[in-house]
Amino acid sequence: TARSVAISFDGRSRPSRLSRIGCSRGIAESEPKMTEKKPGARASLRLMPPCGTVTSATGSAGGRLRTKLVSAERSLISCPICIDSSTPEALEAAVPLAGGRVLINSVTAEQHSRDRLLPLVAAHGAAVIGMANDESGISMDPDERFAAAAKVVENAERHGIAREDVIIDPLAMPIGAAPDAGTAMIATMRKIRAELGVNLSCGASNISFGMPGRHEIDAAFLTLMIGAGMNTAITNPLHRPVKKAILAADLLLGHDEY
């Protein structure tokens, strides 16, 4: 939605501000690395400076439109850009136009995706979101999701991409369709954080898709994910239950210095 922002839980500061941004998804920070410097750091809420996002369009006309959008957005804003597309050609055309470090969303563990997109990430000094799925699709088995995440991380390192510039998305699934969606995410995040030590993110509201009381479900889900090691999330802090749940988790986990 237009109110989605990226939130970081990284143990370095208390909540600083909540803001509304006019982009669909985003994550970035003003320091050289895109998220935290020390993988495995304890969780604490901090709103990261928002970034603009150029999302996907299809076909050759869509590619031309996206490159125009990247150029226009760069001329209007100074914050980093997240370029979100499932089309490699679109990313290859748009990333060089961004004029600075970008976050590329996304690469999967599929070989064709890794082989094509990781060199692009490395060539432009970008950060990347890696999806925990491979040629077999999205598994509900935490071990299979971990294996997919490990492929992304290990192949990124072979291309010279530091682990702190890799953000793994274990892929939150709708709880209404998959009753084990929550427990699978907890187990997957804990394993990735413990064994790979990379940053973790997800589209938090995916969990509540099609359910009543979505804000409350999202709030509970975020609390559990923070406890499992997630240190970034794409969510809407303007929803009061979500905001309060994150602040409470920060307090109860001992990360609120006040």
Side-chain angles (χ1 to χ4, degrees), residues 47-246:
L47 181 68
M48 303 170 82
C51 72
T53 300
V54 179
T55 54
S56 53
T58 58
S60 59
R64 290 193 297 272
L65 173 61
R66 188 182 297 102
T67 56
K68 290 180 180 178
L69 286 172
V70 170
S71 298
E73 189 163 5
R74 174 51 59 206
S75 69
L76 293 171
I77 62 175
S78 59
C79 59
I81 292 177
C82 173
I83 302 178
D84 184 345
S85 178
S86 60
T87 307
E89 293 85 358
L91 293 171
E92 290 165 350
V95 169
L97 302 177
R101 292 202 77 202
V102 299
L103 174 61
I104 295 175
N105 188 11
S106 57
V107 61
T108 72
E110 298 167 284
Q111 184 171 347
H112 69 84
S113 178
R114 292 184 278 114
D115 289 350
R116 178 129 186 207
L117 294 178
L118 289 177
L120 177 69
V121 175
H124 293 276
V128 64
I129 293 177
M131 300 293 187
N133 68 284
D134 57 19
E135 287 82 359
S136 62
I138 302 173
S139 173
M140 294 306 294
D141 184 335
D143 289 333
E144 291 185 10
R145 288 194 193 184
F146 173 84
K151 286 182 186 177
V152 173
V153 174
E154 291 165 3
N155 279 270
E157 285 190 316
R158 293 191 188 107
H159 285 85
I161 303 165
R163 289 200 178 201
E164 56 262 39
D165 285 336
V166 177
I167 304 165
I168 292 295
D169 184 344
L171 298 166
M173 303 296 288
I175 193 72
D180 58 342
T183 54
M185 281 289 284
I186 291 172
T188 303
M189 285 196 171
R190 284 177 174 166
K191 188 173 180 66
I192 291 173
R193 197 70 163 153
E195 299 187 29
L196 299 178
V198 294
N199 299 292
L200 289 166
S201 182
C202 75
S205 64
N206 290 352
I207 195 73
S208 63
F209 181 78
M211 297 292 288
R214 292 194 66 181
H215 298 172
E216 290 74 19
I217 294 172
D218 293 347
F221 177 69
L222 279 163
T223 302
L224 292 170
M225 294 305 104
I226 294 169
M230 182 173 67
N231 62 327
T232 70
I234 299 168
T235 191
N236 187 348
L238 297 180
H239 291 158
R240 185 175 177 82
V242 170
K243 175 182 175 181
K244 292 296 184 181
I246 294 172

